[in-house]
Every structure is written in structure tokens, then in C-alpha cells.
Amino acid sequence: MLNKIISGGKLEKKVIENIKIHLKILCSATECFKNAITTGNKESTFCVADLEREADSIRRQIISTIHEGAFLPFIRPNICRFVEMVDEAFDILEDTSFEFRYLNNEIYKLIENECAKIAKINSEICELLSIAFDSLLTKGDLKEKNLAIRIYEKQVDDLKFDITEKLRKIDIKNFWDGKIITDFVYYLTNLSDLIEDASDYLYIIEVSLK
């Protein structure tokens, strides 16, 4: 397990602690967006960009420490890829927030309930990813966490189908209104895909350590 590899290694411990911080910031960002979408306060989504900048600094520290020699060479690419996936989740969440601020309110109202549910799931699935990472360190049941994340992702897929069915019935005459709502739904519903992929990479890391 990962805790055996980092035992006594200062660089390894630094990377692990920073990954935990990185994940916690992502969870804060998804929670921030959930609150914004629940209250309908578009301006409050700027907290996502603030948290993304904070996370980007942590990500650079992680990669820099790994390049300094943290971990054995065979595991470095997998850890780096996991960190990159978390970073991609920040990017897509920031894109979601940006599009949310420019939505046509009349169109959005038709899918508001589904979108709020997805934002809540995204927040919960992020917490699960953080717990899954801890499981990797402590010999917890990583498969159980992966399964829970997959179940959440399936719920998002179902809600995405409902949203698509509603949007197909709308006569959208303004090109930009159509593009913005389409991009928004794409970003919102794909965050869980990224989290699922990151969770799968934790399993790859676990297998590589056996």
C-alpha cells in the first residue's frame, strides 16, 4: 500500500499531504457551486475561480516534489495522472460556473431542478473521491468507494437524459442562448465522469503496488 512506500520519506509525505489538500479544495469548489446553483446567485460562482487558483498552486507543488524524486519511478506517472485528472475537474467546474453566469433564465428554469440535483451529486461524489484516496493509504475498501462513485455517476447520466428530453422540446431562437445552455449542461454532467476516471486511477495505483 501507499503508506508503506511513503514511510520515512519526506518528499513522499509532502506529496500525499498536498494531494489531500488538492482534493479538499476541489470539494470546497463543488460545494461552492452547489450553493450558488441552489440559491440562484450567479455572482457567488466566482468563488470557484478563486479556489481553482489556490488549487493550481498546490498542483505545481505536487508535480515539482515528484520531479525532485518522490516515489519510485514506476509509480510516479500514475500519481501524476491522478493529480492531472483532479486538475481537469477544476477546469470543467470553472467552465460550468462561467456558463452558468450567462444562462438565459427562462430556459434554465425548465431544467433548474435537475441541474441542482446534479450539482449536489457532484459535491457528494467529490467527497467520495477524497475518502477513496484515504482508503488507498489506510488499506480501506477502495472497491466499495469506486462502486459508490459509479452509482452516483449513473444517477447523473439519468438526470442528463431528463434534461436532454426537456431541451429538445424547446424552440430556442437565439444561437447564443442555445450554445450556452448546451455547453453548461455538458460541463455540469461531465464532472462526474472525470471523478469516476480519477477513482479508477486510484485502483490502478493500488494494483501497481501489489
Side-chain angles (χ1 to χ4, degrees):
M1 287 298 166
L2 207 55
N3 60 336
K4 292 182 179 179
I5 292 182
I6 68 173
S7 179
K10 291 182 179 180
L11 292 179
E12 287 79 4
K13 288 180 178 178
K14 182 179 178 181
V15 169
I16 294 302
E17 288 307 309
N18 276 335
I19 289 177
K20 289 181 178 181
I21 294 171
H22 201 218
L23 288 168
K24 288 186 182 301
I25 297 173
L26 178 61
C27 291
S28 295
T30 57
E31 182 69 13
C32 161
F33 181 76
K34 183 197 77 173
N35 292 336
I37 203 173
T38 301
T39 60
N41 186 348
K42 293 184 177 182
E43 294 302 311
S44 66
T45 57
F46 283 107
C47 63
V48 173
D50 294 337
L51 289 165
E52 193 277 334
R53 284 191 290 271
E54 181 182 346
D56 194 51
S57 175
I58 298 296
R59 179 189 59 82
R60 288 195 296 268
Q61 291 181 40
I62 293 170
I63 300 303
S64 176
T65 306
I66 290 175
H67 287 166
E68 287 176 29
F71 299 106
L72 296 173
F74 79 92
I75 196 176
R76 288 175 194 162
N78 290 336
I79 294 177
C80 285
R81 183 57 189 140
F82 174 75
V83 172
E84 288 170 3
M85 286 180 175
V86 175
D87 185 57
E88 288 170 15
F90 273 108
D91 290 339
I92 202 167
L93 185 60
E94 191 170 9
D95 288 337
T96 311
S97 300
F98 178 83
E99 299 298 342
F100 180 65
R101 293 194 289 272
Y102 293 94
L103 287 173
N104 179 307
N105 288 331
E106 290 185 8
I107 298 173
Y108 173 64
K109 283 293 180 182
L110 299 172
I111 59 172
E112 183 177 10
N113 289 337
E114 290 84 358
C115 291
K117 289 178 182 178
I118 292 173
K120 183 175 184 294
I121 291 172
N122 284 342
S123 179
E124 292 172 350
I125 204 173
C126 179
E127 291 289 346
L128 269 175
L129 182 65
S130 182
I131 294 171
F133 183 75
D134 288 339
S135 294
L136 180 66
L137 301 174
T138 60
K139 295 185 179 180
D141 192 343
L142 186 56
K143 286 186 178 180
E144 180 183 88
K145 310 303 184 301
N146 285 345
L147 177 59
I149 287 173
R150 289 180 183 278
I151 291 171
Y152 272 126
E153 206 282 323
K154 177 61 169 58
Q155 291 176 2
V156 172
D157 281 344
D158 292 342
L159 288 165
K160 181 180 181 180
F161 177 81
D162 294 340
I163 289 172
T164 302
E165 288 300 299
K166 285 187 176 183
L167 291 179
R168 282 176 177 168
K169 298 174 183 177
I170 302 173
D171 183 17
I172 301 177
K173 298 178 180 179
N174 183 291
F175 168 80
W176 288 109
D177 286 344
K179 184 177 189 310
I180 290 169
I181 194 71
T182 299
D183 289 347
F184 170 73
V185 171
Y186 171 80
Y187 294 135
L188 179 68
T189 58
N190 273 271
L191 180 60
S192 59
D193 282 331
L194 275 175
I195 298 296
E196 183 182 12
D197 290 344
S199 175
D200 288 341
Y201 239 85
L202 287 181
Y203 183 71
I204 291 173
I205 292 172
E206 182 184 54
V207 170
S208 71
L209 293 174
K210 292 181 178 179

